[in-house]
């Protein structure tokens, strides 16, 4: 897919990884809708780009999400919004409403958004969806936030199951799975740690946006995952 001239929606795009992805897609020539609930940061991010606009949408509001996608009719959807890995308390100490909200934001919302764009993308003769996962969703070890890691594991598996959509809908759904990314907040959090606890350097934002662009542009990729681990080159996983 040629990104130039396409319509893109990026969720969680006011700051951090979402803003970096939106900025990169705009630089590649896409018309980008930056979706978030942080109005000040969202408007500032969109205002710094050409052919971009900010949309206030709470992804836990099904009707608002459906209205957005029906109006935007994107050729490219990046399900980046998420979070909660550092919020405490977590399961089992958190109440059901709190850990359910994490599942809804990190898994249900991207599932619904993907479902909502399928018909339009099929009518438009194709589209690309990129889900932003996390290495918290890989492996079998413990994690401080079980609900977050479970939702990201589900997002990875969800992506892999949708490979057939390339044939049935001409829609390719893929996932980028980064380790700790060097956003402004990520850098500050790492620098606040003792030196012995910081670990390897974080994933550069450019490495993340390169992976997203690859998953959009490469028409041979469907239901695939690009793993971004610290101190290792990007890896296209065989699922």
């Amino acid at each position: 897919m040629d990104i130039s001239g396409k319509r893109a929606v990026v969720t969680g795009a006011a700051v951090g990884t979402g803003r970096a992805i939106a900025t990169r897609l705009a630089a590649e020539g896409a018309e980008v809708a930056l979706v978030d609930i942080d109005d000040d940061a969202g408007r500032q991010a969109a205002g710094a780009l050409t052919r971009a606009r900010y949309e206030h949408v709470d992804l836990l509001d099904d009707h608002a999400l459906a209205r957005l996608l029906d109006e935007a009719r994107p050729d490219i959807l990046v399900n980046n919004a998420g979070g909660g890995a550092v919020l405490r308390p977590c399961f089992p100490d958190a109440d059901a409403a709190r850990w359910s909200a994490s599942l809804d934001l990190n898994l249900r919302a991207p599932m619904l958004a993907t479902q909502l764009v399928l018909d339009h993308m099929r009518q438009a003769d194709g589209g690309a969806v990129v889900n932003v996962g996390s290495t918290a969703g890989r492996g079998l070890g413990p994690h401080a936030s079980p609900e977050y890691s479970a939702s990201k594991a589900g997002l990875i598996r969800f992506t892999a199951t949708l490979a057939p959509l390339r044939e049935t809908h001409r829609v390719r759904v893929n996932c980028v799975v980064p380790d700790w990314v060097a956003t402004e907040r990520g850098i500050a959090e790492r620098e606040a740690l003792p030196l012995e606890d910081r670990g390897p350097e974080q994933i550069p934002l450019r490495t993340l946006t390169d992976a997203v662009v690859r998953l959009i542009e490469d028409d041979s990729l469907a239901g695939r995952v690009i793993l971004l681990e610290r101190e290792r080159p990007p890896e296209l996983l065989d699922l």
Side-chain angles (χ1 to χ4, degrees):
M1 173 186 287
D2 183 357
I3 294 174
S4 180
K6 296 297 192 294
R7 295 183 298 272
V9 167
V10 181
T11 66
V15 297
T17 58
R19 179 170 182 168
I21 293 167
T23 300
R24 177 66 182 275
L25 295 182
E28 297 287 338
E31 178 183 331
V32 187
L34 290 78
V35 178
D36 212 297
I37 56 173
D38 185 340
D39 293 339
D40 290 341
R43 292 192 183 100
Q44 182 182 42
L49 305 176
T50 58
R51 301 185 66 202
R53 68 186 187 280
Y54 170 68
E55 297 280 356
H56 177 105
V57 176
D58 182 347
L59 298 185
L60 301 184
D61 182 337
D62 289 2
H63 296 294
L65 179 58
R67 183 167 56 251
L68 164 75
L69 295 174
D70 183 59
E71 293 173 354
R73 303 180 71 79
D75 307 295
I76 298 164
L77 169 66
V78 181
N79 288 312
N80 168 79
V86 298
L87 295 179
R88 302 292 182 269
C90 300
F91 185 94
D93 298 318
D95 60 33
R98 178 159 181 160
W99 59 256
S100 293
S102 180
L103 294 174
D104 286 345
L105 177 61
N106 290 295
L107 180 57
R108 185 182 181 277
M111 289 180 68
L112 178 59
T114 300
Q115 184 179 40
L116 290 170
V117 299
L118 288 179
D119 282 346
H120 160 69
M121 287 185 174
R122 177 168 55 183
Q123 293 168 13
D125 201 28
V129 177
V130 178
N131 296 318
V132 179
S134 167
T135 53
R138 287 176 47 80
L140 300 175
H143 190 273
S145 177
E147 55 268 45
Y148 178 80
S149 57
S151 64
K152 291 301 186 179
L155 188 61
I156 295 169
R157 186 71 186 103
F158 169 69
T159 299
T161 65
L162 298 183
L165 289 178
R166 179 173 57 177
E167 306 304 325
T168 61
H169 289 68
R170 295 183 59 81
V171 175
R172 295 179 299 103
V173 183
N174 294 289
C175 188
V176 59
V177 179
D179 198 342
W180 201 1
V181 181
T183 60
E184 289 186 7
R185 188 179 75 177
I187 292 169
E189 289 173 350
R190 182 175 182 271
E191 291 180 347
L193 294 173
L195 285 174
E196 63 272 17
D197 295 335
R198 293 181 183 182
E201 292 294 325
Q202 296 161 311
I203 305 297
L205 283 169
R206 179 72 186 202
T207 301
L208 173 66
T209 62
D210 282 349
V212 171
V213 166
R214 179 184 177 188
L215 292 173
I216 294 169
E217 291 184 332
D218 190 338
D219 291 332
S220 72
L221 299 179
R224 303 298 299 277
V225 166
I226 293 181
L227 177 63
L228 304 178
E229 293 187 305
R230 291 188 282 175
E231 292 193 315
R232 296 184 61 182
E235 181 182 2
L236 182 65
L237 298 183
D238 292 323
L239 302 177

